[in-house]
Amino acid sequence: MRKRYKLLIIIFISFILVLIIYKLCYKPKYMYLFIGANYNNLSTYDFNDRIKYELKDNKLVYKEILEPFIIDEYVEMLTNNKHNINYYLKNANLIVISIGVNELNNYKEIDSSIIIEYLNNMYRFLNKIRDLNSKDIFLINMYSSDYKLINDKIKKYTAELKIYYIDENIIDASNSFFIKDDMYLTNKGHKNIGDYILKRIKI
């Protein structure tokens, strides 16, 4: 019996030691999910590269979804869990959403029905993401002042849902340019986005 007790004590102590070592040494992975347009300026280094570099010591797991950003398709993506997106949304420590500028710019004329549908889908999309994740979420919106009503509404949605809002005021409009209707950012623009995000995330 004594031998059995001694063995149980040894097993128990070993278990406690393993737990202590695990707690001291284990560092959870940090998941970064990026969705949308990255405004890559055709160089080898954009704001995502900067963020990933600064987080490299945190066992970074990076996932990106770079499909053309059409808001109703993204709502559908969440509904159907395409690309297993809900898993990444639930487990991400950092989510950056870049809504691009092509969807609205592709319309020759925008009427009230288009605006209402776009904004309703945008709110549904952001609200669903916030329901799935309570951590750091950033939204990048580079639509110009020509879309003042839409910009104001999206900014209001992000404030309500406690999502960080990044626009040309933070990036500096002088750091953006178009090539054949596609938007790009200068290296300074990418740095401004990266710096803004890195200063606010909780690690």
Side-chain angles (χ1 to χ4, degrees):
M1 290 294 289
R2 288 182 179 179
K3 288 183 179 181
R4 182 177 297 177
Y5 284 129
K6 286 182 180 179
L7 180 60
L8 288 174
I9 291 171
I10 291 171
I11 292 173
F12 178 75
I13 293 173
S14 299
F15 178 74
I16 297 298
L17 287 173
V18 168
L19 282 180
I20 292 172
I21 292 171
Y22 177 80
K23 287 288 186 181
L24 291 174
C25 299
Y26 175 72
K27 189 172 185 181
K29 292 179 180 178
Y30 186 97
M31 184 182 292
Y32 171 23
L33 173 63
F34 175 75
I35 305 172
N38 62 2
Y39 308 113
N40 194 300
N41 59 352
L42 306 182
S43 70
T44 57
Y45 198 77
D46 60 25
F47 65 84
N48 274 327
D49 293 318
R50 172 163 172 70
I51 294 169
K52 287 186 288 183
Y53 176 80
E54 293 297 329
L55 297 175
K56 68 182 187 302
D57 295 330
N58 293 277
K59 291 189 176 180
L60 180 67
V61 175
Y62 176 70
K63 170 69 176 177
E64 61 183 16
I65 299 174
L66 300 178
E67 294 185 7
F69 197 100
I70 307 298
I71 187 62
D72 59 342
E73 293 181 2
Y74 273 69
V75 171
E76 183 181 352
M77 181 182 293
L78 290 181
T79 302
N80 297 324
N81 196 23
K82 189 177 179 183
H83 303 306
N84 201 23
I85 188 172
N86 290 335
Y87 167 82
Y88 294 102
L89 288 170
K90 287 177 182 177
N91 292 282
N93 302 89
L94 167 64
I95 299 172
V96 177
I97 306 158
S98 178
I99 63 176
V101 295
N102 287 329
E103 181 170 0
L104 295 179
N105 285 339
N106 283 335
Y107 289 102
K108 291 182 179 179
E109 294 183 6
I110 297 181
D111 59 25
S112 58
S113 63
I114 293 172
I115 292 173
I116 291 170
E117 182 179 9
Y118 179 83
L119 289 174
N120 284 342
N121 281 328
M122 181 62 69
Y123 185 82
R124 288 172 60 200
F125 178 63
L126 296 177
N127 190 53
K128 177 67 172 176
I129 290 175
R130 180 46 88 196
D131 281 345
L132 291 170
N133 191 294
S134 62
K135 296 178 182 176
D136 293 321
I137 303 176
F138 294 76
L139 181 130
I140 303 170
N141 173 24
M142 285 298 290
Y143 278 114
S144 71
S145 57
D146 295 339
Y147 298 96
K148 185 178 186 308
L149 173 62
I150 291 171
N151 292 338
D152 288 346
K153 285 289 187 181
I154 294 175
K155 190 171 185 179
K156 180 181 177 182
Y157 298 159
T158 56
E160 175 188 335
L161 298 169
K162 294 181 172 56
I163 294 172
Y164 291 103
Y165 182 78
I166 300 173
D167 62 9
E168 62 181 14
N169 293 318
I170 291 170
I171 297 166
D172 188 338
S174 66
N175 290 316
S176 64
F177 59 95
F178 283 85
I179 299 176
K180 294 182 180 179
D181 296 326
D182 284 328
M183 171 172 274
Y184 297 89
L185 296 175
T186 65
N187 288 330
K188 182 68 186 306
H190 283 291
K191 183 178 185 301
N192 288 347
I193 293 176
D195 288 347
Y196 183 87
I197 292 172
L198 288 166
K199 286 177 182 176
R200 287 160 178 80
I201 60 176
K202 295 177 279 296
I203 300 177

